[in-house]
Amino acid sequence: MKSLVPTTLRSEERALQREVRAFLDERLPPGAHPLGLGMSGEVDPEFSRDLAARGWVGMALPREYGGGGRTAVERQIVVEELLARGAPVGYHWVADRQSGPSIARNGTEEQRRRLLPGIARGELSFAIGMSEPDSGSDLASVRARAVRHRDGWLINGTKIWTSGAATATHVLGLFRTSEDRRGGLTQFIVEGDAAGLTISPIPFIDGTGHFCELSFDDVYVPDTARLGDVGAGWGQNTGELALERGGVDRWMSLMPVLEAWARSPEVRDSPVAQVDLGRVVSRLWAFRGMSLSIARLVDAGESPVAEAALVKEMATRFEQESVEIVRRHFGRTPDLGSDDPWESLLARAILVSPSWTIRGGTTEILRSVIAKGLVSR
Ligand SMILES: Cc1cc2nc3c(=O)[nH]c(=O)nc-3n(C[C@H](O)[C@H](O)[C@H](O)COP(=O)(O)OP(=O)(O)OC[C@H]3O[C@@H](n4cnc5c(N)ncnc54)[C@H](O)[C@@H]3O)c2cc1C
């Protein structure tokens, strides 16, 4: 495993941080937007476009395709500020974090020109079509199938737990193109309004409907929808998961709750709560250092897969423990329908936090990735 070398922000990076804070003070004043739990923020295409107009969506995409050509660290600085405020990042999140970079890396010149500028303008929204009813951790067992048909492919099967699919313009999915377990998987970019694709929201425990089930019934896609070579899907997908796991989104879901709690009378008047706050903040600071070190490794051209898994494994368990700490000090059952946005957000966090160690790979699977990373070096 690469060592996570401690690092701090450079002066030009701090300047970017100040710029983003000033923009968000104006664009998202307190109370002006529904608070989100980290990357599960509200879907607000107008906010995504406004952010993109500042150059803060698709920051790490190449300039020749409309991206910012900025570093992973610079992108992390922007994302940190957004998540700290519970910003409505839902529309552009997946495209910005992983689908865009994957298309930049694996796509054809035509796909890059067709899709990346729209991602960088905050106009295109992507969902991840990996999991199936019988295939989650064991992703290589996916059964939804793409079969050659005329000049393109016919897709049949079911995807499930596809976050944000109902509002996404595109789904980047993993499909079986031959019987070879890993070598028989290929990625396709399917338009959300493709004929034969039915997208059905699944109610989530907090009353939201961002989860979806996708039914592909003879969905025809041209060969230009194929991302990468036939059979290259497994490797490409694994690369995407590294982008999905090591970021600040894994320990910042709860930031608006923690900030309100830190300022609350419960903490002001209770030395015991102050001790717990100190514990939470010191761990947050350590995770921040780890995510920053991972971003520096990415900027140095490394692929820190095991390091990213390590951050997700530790940080998602920390987030769940933090929910429990705040809940304990709250003293009563928080009300999901409360007029107080932070009480309502705490209630949501209690309901949904069990999912944080499942989405993006379960804790058990991450431990196996970490162990393999350790023994293979
Ligand atoms: C909030 C949320 C958002 C999601 N968004 C998306 C999305 O946008 N797109 C998408 O494709 N998927 C998404 N998922 C699905 C997610 O990736 C899967 O739920 C996850 O990978 C686990 O798969 P599974 O649910 O099939 O559980 P299973 O794989 O059936 O696992 C069940 C249990 O068995 C354990 N287990 C399984 N295999 C092993 C093993 N080899 N060793 C040890 N233990 C094992 C697991 O750790 C788990 O505890 C989302 C899930 C959640 C909760």
Side-chain angles (χ1 to χ4, degrees):
M1 202 181 283
K2 297 271 169 215
S3 44
L4 291 179
V5 179
T7 175
T8 51
L9 293 185
R10 299 166 183 152
S11 64
E12 67 279 11
E13 292 165 346
R14 288 194 189 286
L16 172 64
Q17 191 180 51
R18 284 194 295 276
E19 202 187 331
V20 180
R21 283 181 182 166
F23 168 75
L24 293 178
D25 283 345
E26 203 175 299
R27 184 62 177 76
L28 296 179
H33 69 102
L35 287 179
L37 284 169
M39 63 179 135
S40 311
E42 293 288 314
V43 170
D44 181 347
E46 194 184 329
F47 176 73
S48 294
R49 283 197 301 273
D50 287 355
L51 200 65
R54 307 293 302 239
W56 295 334
V57 176
M59 284 177 80
L61 297 177
R63 278 179 189 273
E64 61 264 45
Y65 307 111
R70 313 281 293 259
T71 63
V73 169
E74 287 171 315
R75 179 182 173 274
Q76 177 166 315
I77 288 166
V78 172
V79 167
E80 257 183 15
E81 296 306 318
L82 291 167
L83 300 188
R85 294 174 199 236
V89 295
Y91 189 73
H92 67 268
W93 186 260
V94 168
D96 177 69
R97 181 185 65 187
Q98 69 195 78
S99 311
S102 180
I103 293 166
R105 194 183 312 133
N106 305 308
T108 60
E109 185 58 19
E110 183 276 326
Q111 285 169 335
R112 292 185 190 136
R113 297 214 172 277
R114 175 160 49 90
L115 297 165
L116 297 184
I119 290 177
R121 287 195 300 268
E123 290 169 2
L124 301 186
S125 173
F126 275 67
I128 307 163
M130 295 190 294
S131 306
E132 297 182 3
D134 296 317
S135 183
S137 302
D138 184 15
L139 198 56
S141 68
V142 297
R143 288 196 299 201
R145 184 171 291 275
V147 177
R148 284 196 190 272
H149 181 75
R150 296 200 293 264
D151 292 337
W153 300 79
L154 265 191
I155 301 181
N156 280 285
T158 306
K159 293 287 175 186
I160 199 165
W161 317 128
T162 322
S163 306
T167 48
T169 55
H170 296 78
V171 177
L172 175 49
L174 185 68
F175 298 94
R176 181 152 297 288
T177 45
S178 84
E179 295 315 315
D180 187 328
R181 195 170 136 79
R182 290 186 177 175
L185 297 172
T186 306
Q187 285 189 306
F188 290 88
I189 301 166
V190 185
E191 296 188 4
D193 59 0
L197 172 58
T198 308
I199 300 178
S200 315
I202 305 169
F204 203 35
I205 193 169
D206 63 347
T208 57
H210 63 89
F211 254 169
C212 295
E213 177 167 328
L214 274 53
S215 169
F216 294 80
D217 186 10
D218 277 345
V219 175
Y220 174 78
V221 293
D223 196 43
T224 51
R226 173 168 52 82
L227 183 68
D229 291 337
V230 175
W234 178 260
Q236 290 172 194
N237 215 93
T238 311
E240 261 184 63
L241 285 171
L243 295 168
E244 188 180 338
R245 288 172 174 165
V248 297
D249 32 330
R250 296 303 170 182
W251 47 270
M252 290 193 74
S253 310
L254 207 59
M255 286 308 275
V257 170
L258 290 175
E259 200 179 330
W261 177 58
R263 296 179 197 283
S264 69
E266 287 97 38
V267 170
R268 197 183 52 228
D269 302 336
S270 161
V272 176
Q274 288 164 18
V275 170
D276 276 340
L277 176 63
R279 287 199 178 118
V280 166
V281 171
S282 58
R283 289 171 73 189
L284 271 176
W285 195 242
F287 285 123
R288 181 173 192 259
M290 291 172 81
S291 285
L292 198 55
S293 300
I294 286 181
R296 292 254 187 254
L297 283 177
V298 170
D299 287 336
E302 307 279 354
S303 182
V305 173
E307 292 79 358
L310 186 71
V311 168
K312 184 181 183 299
E313 197 276 344
M314 293 167 68
T316 50
R317 283 187 298 113
F318 157 76
E319 288 205 308
Q320 288 177 343
E321 286 163 34
S322 302
V323 172
E324 193 47 33
I325 289 170
V326 179
R327 186 197 64 76
R328 217 173 46 231
H329 287 293
F330 195 67
R332 59 187 162 83
T333 304
D335 177 6
L336 191 60
S338 168
D339 291 339
D340 181 342
W342 100 263
E343 176 173 345
S344 157
L345 200 62
L346 174 60
R348 266 185 71 196
I350 291 169
L351 290 172
V352 307
S353 59
S355 74
W356 294 344
T357 46
I358 299 172
R359 62 182 180 183
T362 66
T363 298
E364 290 75 16
I365 295 304
L366 294 166
R367 286 175 184 163
S368 137
V369 173
I370 296 163
K372 284 177 189 154
L374 283 171
V375 295
S376 70
R377 292 174 198 207

